[in-house]
Amino acid sequence: MNRRWACVLLSSSLLLMGSQYTPVVSHSPAAEPPVAAVHAVGTVPDLPGSEQPIPEQPKEEVRDKHSLVTVNGISLADTRSDVIAKLGVPLEISRDPLIPELELYHYAGLEVTFSGEHVHDLAVPAEEGSLLLDGTSVAITPEAIREALGDPDYVAEDGLVYQRDFRLLKVYLNVDEGRIAVIRYYSLSNT
């Protein structure tokens, strides 16, 4: 990888992660008692002052907040009829110019692509301002996406990827303009 692309990837990831990004520092497992032992006894065992109260549990990880089952109410398991029942008749229907087997349903602020009868992927332009992740509204800003999804699982040359099982949400970045361009939701099998 040349130096220019490395700088692009780094600046892209920092753009989305925001300036408050701090690396995770791992602790030696030997220095801390097993969590199960703390819960079973109610105090920290075998340590001086073991009559301390149970330590506060770590907050649920950010990545567990959203499993990416739906984006804007659409699931990757939905069929054409499911999508029409949820969103109504599309404003326009077209074919993908590069892959004619894919059919695109254009809605206001959303594009749903079908392969056969099932959802192949969907795209939400950044101009929409927000999207629904598993029913929760999330602003299409680097800070809001990082707060909702945590750190990206992958950094690609054109954006950041969040993966939950086989479901992927990719935040495409326009590095030249320093902003998010579009968010695409798709299955790992469609890569």
Side-chain angles (χ1 to χ4, degrees), residues 109-191:
L110 179 68
E111 181 181 276
V112 182
T113 304
F114 293 94
S115 175
E117 284 301 310
H118 288 89
V119 171
H120 182 271
D121 67 271
L122 63 89
V124 180
E127 292 79 23
E128 276 308 295
S130 67
L131 72 160
L132 289 175
L133 295 179
D134 299 323
T136 303
S137 181
V138 176
I140 301 178
T141 65
E143 300 81 19
I145 290 172
R146 180 168 185 254
E147 183 180 322
L149 298 173
D151 293 332
D153 295 295
Y154 307 101
V155 177
E157 60 187 44
D158 56 353
L160 306 172
V161 181
Y162 296 89
Q163 182 175 353
R164 305 296 187 269
D165 297 322
F166 63 90
R167 295 174 296 274
L168 302 167
L169 187 87
K170 185 167 184 180
V171 179
Y172 286 86
L173 302 171
N174 183 329
V175 179
D176 294 335
E177 295 179 18
R179 66 177 187 85
I180 296 171
V182 67
I183 295 181
R184 191 165 293 276
Y185 173 57
Y186 57 98
S187 171
L188 186 60
S189 65
N190 295 339
T191 56

Side-chain angles (χ1 to χ4, degrees), residues 20 60 84 90 93 127 187:
Q20 281 85 30
E60 180 181 354
I84 291 172
I93 299 174
E127 292 79 23
S187 171

Side-chain angles (χ1 to χ4, degrees), residues 63-120:
R63 70 178 283 111
D64 293 338
K65 284 173 47 177
H66 297 287
S67 56
L68 300 178
V69 173
T70 64
V71 171
N72 284 9
I74 304 300
S75 141
L76 294 172
D78 283 346
T79 63
R80 286 176 200 265
S81 57
D82 294 333
V83 172
I84 291 172
K86 292 176 182 182
L87 301 176
V89 177
L91 301 172
E92 178 186 347
I93 299 174
S94 64
R95 292 270 178 202
D96 186 295
L98 300 175
I99 308 171
E101 299 81 35
L102 298 179
E103 195 167 54
L104 291 75
Y105 280 30
H106 303 270
Y107 293 92
L110 179 68
E111 181 181 276
V112 182
T113 304
F114 293 94
S115 175
E117 284 301 310
H118 288 89
V119 171
H120 182 271

